[in-house]
Amino acid sequence: MRGNIKRAATVVGALTAAAAMLGQGVAQAAPISRTTGCARFTGDYTYWSDGTGWYGYSLNGTITRTCSGSAVHGIQVTGDWKGHDFYYDYEGHRLSKGESVNLIGFYEAYDVRNIRIVLD
């Protein structure tokens, strides 16, 4: 029993430390990918908190068309935006089979939450 309590206290301590780091704006990064019928996005997504439930984020990556023909493919980022109705950002490019384009510049400092990332 004593061992279980000690392990639980260690886990709670680690979670509390992680939450405190987020509250101080420490970034959390992860690879991200999205796939549709004819396109693939791979990249890096980083987010951080201001400690009040609002977040900042950065998104960079590459879209590749995987089907024959050509079409416009893009990344759409939506969410709640502090002081506004909603957050929306989009970048799209016409691509032919096998073509890729790097997307950079998706960024918001601290004023979004409920972020959704969609490939179209």
Side-chain angles (χ1 to χ4, degrees):
M1 181 75 161
R2 188 171 294 177
N4 289 340
I5 292 172
K6 185 176 180 181
R7 274 192 294 278
T10 301
V11 169
V12 169
L15 291 174
T16 302
M21 285 175 27
L22 267 179
Q24 295 170 4
V26 174
Q28 304 294 311
I32 185 171
S33 65
R34 298 286 188 268
T35 303
T36 65
C38 287
R40 181 180 64 248
F41 172 79
T42 56
D44 295 305
Y45 174 64
T46 304
Y47 68 95
W48 52 92
S49 170
D50 69 355
T52 68
W54 291 93
Y55 296 85
Y57 83 96
S58 150
L59 176 69
N60 297 297
T62 303
I63 295 178
T64 303
R65 178 156 173 90
T66 57
C67 296
S68 61
S70 67
V72 174
H73 297 288
I75 288 288
Q76 173 181 297
V77 181
T78 61
D80 299 329
W81 195 11
K82 186 188 253 181
H84 304 278
D85 290 336
F86 62 92
Y87 180 83
Y88 177 85
D89 199 357
Y90 178 83
E91 183 178 338
H93 297 272
R94 178 165 292 281
L95 299 172
S96 297
K97 182 175 183 176
E99 279 189 312
S100 296
V101 64
N102 291 329
L103 304 180
I104 58 172
F106 284 94
Y107 176 85
E108 180 62 38
Y110 277 108
D111 295 337
V112 294
R113 65 180 171 198
N114 300 322
I115 297 169
R116 293 169 295 285
I117 301 168
V118 176
L119 171 65
D120 66 6

